Amino acid sequence: MSSYWGEKIKISIFGESHGKGIGVVIDNLPAGEKIDMDRVLMHMARRAPGKDKTATPRLEKDIPSIMSGMLNNTTTGTPLCAVIENTNTKSGDYGNLLDKPRPGHGDYPGFVRYHGYNDIRGGGHFSGRLTAPLVFAGSICRQILYRRGIVISSHIASIGDIKDNMFDPINIPTALSHRLNTETFPLINKDKEGVMREYIDIARMKQDSVGGIIECCATGIEPGLGNPMFGGVENLISSIVFGIPAIKGIEFGTGFDLTKMYGSQANDPYTYDDKGNVITTSNNNGGILGGITTGMPILFRTAVKPTPSISSTQKTIDLSTKSNTELEIHGRHDPCIVPRATAVVESALALALINL
Amino acid sequence: MSSYWGEKIKISIFGESHGKGIGVVIDNLPAGEKIDMDRVLMHMARRAPGKDKTATPRLEKDIPSIMSGMLNNTTTGTPLCAVIENTNTKSGDYGNLLDKPRPGHGDYPGFVRYHGYNDIRGGGHFSGRLTAPLVFAGSICRQILYRRGIVISSHIASIGDIKDNMFDPINIPTALSHRLNTETFPLINKDKEGVMREYIDIARMKQDSVGGIIECCATGIEPGLGNPMFGGVENLISSIVFGIPAIKGIEFGTGFDLTKMYGSQANDPYTYDDKGNVITTSNNNGGILGGITTGMPILFRTAVKPTPSISSTQKTIDLSTKSNTELEIHGRHDPCIVPRATAVVESALALALINL
Amino acid sequence: MSSYWGEKIKISIFGESHGKGIGVVIDNLPAGEKIDMDRVLMHMARRAPGKDKTATPRLEKDIPSIMSGMLNNTTTGTPLCAVIENTNTKSGDYGNLLDKPRPGHGDYPGFVRYHGYNDIRGGGHFSGRLTAPLVFAGSICRQILYRRGIVISSHIASIGDIKDNMFDPINIPTALSHRLNTETFPLINKDKEGVMREYIDIARMKQDSVGGIIECCATGIEPGLGNPMFGGVENLISSIVFGIPAIKGIEFGTGFDLTKMYGSQANDPYTYDDKGNVITTSNNNGGILGGITTGMPILFRTAVKPTPSISSTQKTIDLSTKSNTELEIHGRHDPCIVPRATAVVESALALALINL
Amino acid sequence: MSSYWGEKIKISIFGESHGKGIGVVIDNLPAGEKIDMDRVLMHMARRAPGKDKTATPRLEKDIPSIMSGMLNNTTTGTPLCAVIENTNTKSGDYGNLLDKPRPGHGDYPGFVRYHGYNDIRGGGHFSGRLTAPLVFAGSICRQILYRRGIVISSHIASIGDIKDNMFDPINIPTALSHRLNTETFPLINKDKEGVMREYIDIARMKQDSVGGIIECCATGIEPGLGNPMFGGVENLISSIVFGIPAIKGIEFGTGFDLTKMYGSQANDPYTYDDKGNVITTSNNNGGILGGITTGMPILFRTAVKPTPSISSTQKTIDLSTKSNTELEIHGRHDPCIVPRATAVVESALALALINL
């Protein structure tokens, strides 16, 4: 496994930030699925930089060109490949990174892994830009899931110490998910937007960056999906979510806070609802027990570290002279990628769920 | 993927808690590795119940019988299979679970997933007992890794709100790891043992249970291992760790707390140490950047929820009558599985690392 | 991939000929499938040695012990493990093989592959005995397939130059398949049995061995199963069939003889039959086009080389002295494994088809 | 598995014959491998149509555009994607195929598999054109193998009944392989070219087609590569070779003719050569025993059926009216694809071997 992922529906992501193009092959999609390309582009736009002052001023078009697998906006069932050409790249910005690895980035381990042959420009294959094809693939899949009653959404749970309200784990209205799906700064409590943006802005002024937490959910999941042990839904989701750059943690349901509860509080009691469906009256397990779905909303939070590319001077090494040195990164960088990453995390969840 | 895991070295775990036996097949181990079976049994004993009053009073022998893959305590290179017979089972204890799923367990989703045909006795294939073959496999692998300079250990980072000291992320002495490896209640600060045990005991008195956090590390890892995106070390580790029952979260390095830091604090500066090795002066990324090892210790924490099997009365449903009901679980259950789970989490890490 | 195989339903085979036991884990079987164990044992008996004078005089019991995955002879859906203990082994017979690799066997490449650590006794993991768990697994699967209308059978298409009649590729009666399924020397034209057995007997007298061809089919397959390119049914079947020792070739439909035909003869014309089903009036493609089933019988032939273990003196090397030498193999060997291999090839097909 | 293949080095092939483009992603190539693109294009030209009168008069450029994974003609180690745009397509030619499936093609099973949504134009994803990216990928890999001493070549073993000389299985000169590698009609005995071309020409005149056998080899293979049972080299090679359209059989070494030999003839005796290397004095097993390489040349033959697209009238069905009908295929078709397929089979072998 590497830049390829999946069992039933596989994706193979390729490209480097400043190469000719990036893209994805999606293998084994169901045939005959009508795809609304405007909606795919909407989610890609949510991820794309340059929307507003939380993001980098780069203007990328990121219009995917469909090479195969679709005819009349309908999946053919054979591999779907989309290519996004890289047009707006300024490789000069990264010249000194060849020798001076950026702290917090994949530069140094990538240099060792590839014996110095990897394309370092713009982060190369490690660039956050590689999440564009992931969002493309996920946005195809979430439409297929939506047709089967599954709704995916996420919001910015926190930026630094500033918290949004959390999802109600047993009742996530579809209307709320729909609203979040159209926003570039998705929050349950929109009153928090001002203070969060201000916090990000202060970091930018200081040539610094901040991180945050994304809470993501899926509703409409039937019970009994997934497999025991290593084939569990948590394993599946985390195996793709950690493929998103800057993700350093994931927790399902109540997650780490479960460790402070008693079993009598943590256990989710079963009951029949008035339609005769089995539900739980709490959802501390995030819709997953024994690796298998319970039918309650799937719910997880994931930690996004502060953008490692910052403009202030940092200590690093010079691999050519084998000595300690300092680094100033120029170029165009996000002080906070959390808002853009919401579309990426949702896409990862869509890809995980379509593999069930 | 299911009860099978791995790319280069694969494991296939089988068994049900109250069936004839449980075990594991390990495929593609290197040939010619001498295995110290006493040390394997030591780690299995750390996981086994019945050691002291934090654990269930069941006495299991859990002696693995090697069916294949070893000759004169040396790996042959062909699949190694070990079987552990189930001897001390009291299936009567679980009779009413067939209809009344235990909250917090895999009973109900398993019932749906397997259309009621799964072996519910003792949790069946979802039982924590299935971690015994996982520890067996991991304990083989950690010896092979140790021969290559890699040392794995873990400790109880917290029980409820009570915290142990944490690992120093840039310097984990081998002597400390060796000590932790031999303990059934591994703590960095042994002064915390009393208060933690007391806390667990109170839960037991109340017919309740508690959870905690395990911090796990590996030292001696060379840089440049792993793959970008979905083939990252974090993806690999979490894909197996979530196969352990009761795990609900994982974070690498500083993890969720990274989201409260600035990039200038979170980034780990590079420097050459006095031997000319590249190191970082902090290790907020837990030894992994861009999915690839940096050469610093691999470090993660994982959340263990409170044991769902508790003796106090719980609300649940009766699947046969389709009505709400209550459940009292008898039988032998751990008020806290965190101490026993340390050996399991270490084994999962060993299996992940040997796949690099 | 190694001694493990499969996508949806996976098998992991373990064991060495003279180790403690051999067996198989079958992962992801559908739950709730009633299994007739007598029928499983019948197919295992067809493969087992010692039936009559075509086979080795060893008497093995080969009774599989089910460790997990079945309750009341019904699959639970979780991994099914069966272990067959090795009881009747005479390891002394193989002492000199440690240094003198047998021509035509896996001894020498296995020695290099495992640096001399593999268990050479009885062929170790390369022994034909390892097909016993394969037949066990296949015999479970063919019952599940049979319940869905799929019938698998095979016959001895040839021994040396002596040919049986071939299957009619567009019409294979279920009654014929049922008859073949119960025979230890399955032939369409039973008049050929005498001359074939005589031919085998002559080889035995000469301390030599002979090979043959097995023709295998499956009827009741619906059209549209399989995937294009590498996910084709031919790829799938051959990926498991070549896992059977002594198999050196496979051809589908008319196979190699297709290369001598014109396209106008080779193409299978479509027509609607009187029930409105699409059929082809010939079946040169063996029920597979573009990797995908056509609905016609799946048909292939596979080449079984002469048993490499022969008693006459052979030229080989001495790995300890690095010199040329001669080898006389004692012990119990089949002059012809083709009859026993029919049950194995059918099992491989069953495992391939259940993965569709 | 589907249009994706491989364990260590994976390929994901995409595209439809008359879509926007076709291509391949190659994942996990070693970094720092210098690639001679002229040599890649030479092999692609051997596969391309329009060279001479054995092939279709279509003129395709088939120039691959490298999207990622190479910098200065050197592999970066991250996924290498190449796209070939489809320019010269005449979709009108295939209009009536939507309803009338061509005998011998994937049209009908593809229609069922994809519920009629697959792109039927030019055979869509089932087109022989999809072998162009396979040759691209294989031609990259064979250069990497060549740098490690491994030489791959093939020749037309037969067209219809007309046979070329066969490779000497124990001694295949590198000079011969080099000559074959540069030819579009590769033969060991060039005297056979005239009669073979004449035979093909006669088929063309009759609006018919012919097939043949390709013999393929690799020299310079070290012993001990591969795995037992399902991970064998024969399994691996056949799992990719059957992904080539029109392949209906494969045999290793002496293959089906082994079934007519005695064990004393079939077994390959070991001896030390004058350099102290272990060799066999015959190579009936095609360099593979027990699934593992012996160090002797890997040798296999594969059956290519006559091109199913022929101009003469054929019986088929009309899926729209559900009635029997006839079909006349217009368009540009090869009377014999065997010469072009040699480059494809070699590429498949290169991909298989690089996975060892």
Side-chain angles (χ1 to χ4, degrees), chain C residues 1-5 7 11 13 101-110 112-114 125-126 130-131 134 158-161 199 202-203 206 208-213 223-232 234-236 238-245 247-253 255-256 258-272 278 284-286 288-294 301-310 312 314-325, chain D residues 1-5 7 11 13 101-110 112-114 125-126 130-131 134 158-161 199 202-203 206 208-213 223-232 234-236 238-245 247-253 255-256 258-272 278 284-286 288-295 301-310 312 314-325:
Chain C
M1 201 160 61
S2 162
S3 303
Y4 144 87
W5 183 90
E7 289 226 342
I11 56 169
I13 288 183
R102 293 169 296 174
H105 267 284
D107 297 349
Y108 170 68
V112 179
R113 166 74 174 77
Y114 298 113
H125 190 60
F126 294 87
L130 269 289
T131 57
L134 184 63
S158 67
I159 299 285
D161 265 321
Y199 181 78
I202 290 168
K206 294 200 266 187
D208 214 329
S209 64
V210 293
I213 296 174
L225 300 176
N227 286 299
M229 303 202 79
F230 315 115
E234 288 141 327
N235 310 53
L236 185 68
S238 61
S239 77
I240 185 167
V241 165
F242 279 114
I244 305 169
I247 297 289
K248 297 300 284 187
I250 191 167
E251 57 178 3
F252 292 86
F256 278 89
L258 269 168
T259 68
K260 300 178 187 167
M261 295 166 76
Y262 285 100
S264 55
Q265 303 166 302
N267 284 349
D268 299 315
Y270 291 107
T271 191
Y272 281 101
V278 175
N284 288 309
N285 285 287
I288 305 163
L289 278 173
I292 300 181
T293 57
T294 63
R301 273 172 304 282
T302 188
V304 183
K305 71 177 183 182
T307 324
S309 285
I310 53 177
S312 45
Q314 297 182 84
K315 290 187 179 165
T316 189
I317 51 176
D318 187 320
L319 289 162
S320 62
T321 61
K322 301 220 170 197
S323 60
N324 296 328
T325 184
Chain D
M1 201 162 58
S2 160
S3 303
Y4 144 88
W5 183 89
E7 288 225 344
I11 55 170
I13 287 183
R102 293 169 298 174
H105 267 284
D107 297 350
Y108 170 67
V112 179
R113 166 73 175 77
Y114 297 114
H125 190 60
F126 294 87
L130 269 290
T131 57
L134 184 62
S158 67
I159 300 285
D161 265 321
Y199 181 78
I202 290 167
K206 293 200 266 186
D208 214 328
S209 64
V210 293
I213 295 174
L225 301 177
N227 287 299
M229 303 204 78
F230 315 115
E234 289 142 326
N235 311 53
L236 186 69
S238 61
S239 77
I240 185 166
V241 164
F242 279 114
I244 304 170
I247 297 290
K248 297 300 285 187
I250 191 167
E251 57 178 3
F252 292 86
F256 279 89
L258 270 167
T259 67
K260 300 177 186 168
M261 295 166 76
Y262 285 99
S264 55
Q265 303 166 302
N267 284 349
D268 300 314
Y270 291 106
T271 190
Y272 281 101
V278 175
N284 289 309
N285 285 287
I288 306 163
L289 278 173
I292 300 181
T293 57
T294 63
R301 274 172 303 282
T302 187
V304 182
K305 72 176 182 181
T307 324
S309 286
I310 54 176
S312 45
Q314 296 181 86
K315 290 188 178 163
T316 189
I317 51 175
D318 187 319
L319 289 162
S320 60
T321 61
K322 301 219 169 196
S323 60
N324 296 329
T325 183

Side-chain angles (χ1 to χ4, degrees), chain A residues 1-2 7 113 208-209 226-227 230-231 234-235 239 248 250 252 263-264 267 271-272 285 305 308 314 324, chain B residues 1-2 7 113 208-209 226-227 230-231 234-235 239 248 250 252 263-264 267 272 285 288 305 308 314 324:
Chain A
M1 201 161 59
S2 160
E7 288 226 342
R113 167 73 174 78
D208 214 329
S209 64
N227 287 300
F230 315 116
E234 289 141 327
N235 311 53
S239 77
K248 297 300 286 188
I250 192 166
F252 293 85
S264 55
N267 284 349
T271 191
Y272 282 100
N285 285 287
K305 72 176 182 182
Q314 296 182 88
N324 295 329
Chain B
M1 200 161 60
S2 162
E7 288 225 342
R113 166 73 174 77
D208 214 329
S209 64
N227 286 300
F230 315 116
E234 287 141 327
N235 311 53
S239 77
K248 297 300 286 187
I250 192 167
F252 292 87
S264 55
N267 284 349
Y272 282 101
N285 286 287
I288 306 163
K305 71 176 183 182
Q314 297 182 85
N324 296 328

Side-chain angles (χ1 to χ4, degrees), chain C residues 175-287:
Chain C
L176 171 60
S177 291
H178 282 327
R179 172 171 72 77
L180 295 171
N181 277 343
T182 60
E183 298 186 356
T184 56
F185 204 99
L187 288 167
I188 295 180
N189 180 354
K190 300 196 73 168
D191 295 346
K192 299 296 181 82
E193 182 165 349
V195 60
M196 282 185 178
R197 285 190 183 273
E198 193 175 1
Y199 181 78
I200 295 168
D201 236 34
I202 290 168
R204 181 210 320 278
M205 304 296 192
K206 294 200 266 187
Q207 303 191 311
D208 214 329
S209 64
V210 293
I213 296 174
I214 292 169
E215 190 180 45
C216 188
C217 75
T219 57
I221 305 287
E222 55 180 310
L225 300 176
N227 286 299
M229 303 202 79
F230 315 115
V233 178
E234 288 141 327
N235 310 53
L236 185 68
I237 292 173
S238 61
S239 77
I240 185 167
V241 165
F242 279 114
I244 305 169
I247 297 289
K248 297 300 284 187
I250 191 167
E251 57 178 3
F252 292 86
T254 306
F256 278 89
D257 281 347
L258 269 168
T259 68
K260 300 178 187 167
M261 295 166 76
Y262 285 100
S264 55
Q265 303 166 302
N267 284 349
D268 299 315
Y270 291 107
T271 191
Y272 281 101
D273 73 4
D274 43 18
K275 289 174 197 147
N277 296 317
V278 175
I279 59 168
T280 58
T281 52
S282 60
N283 187 14
N284 288 309
N285 285 287

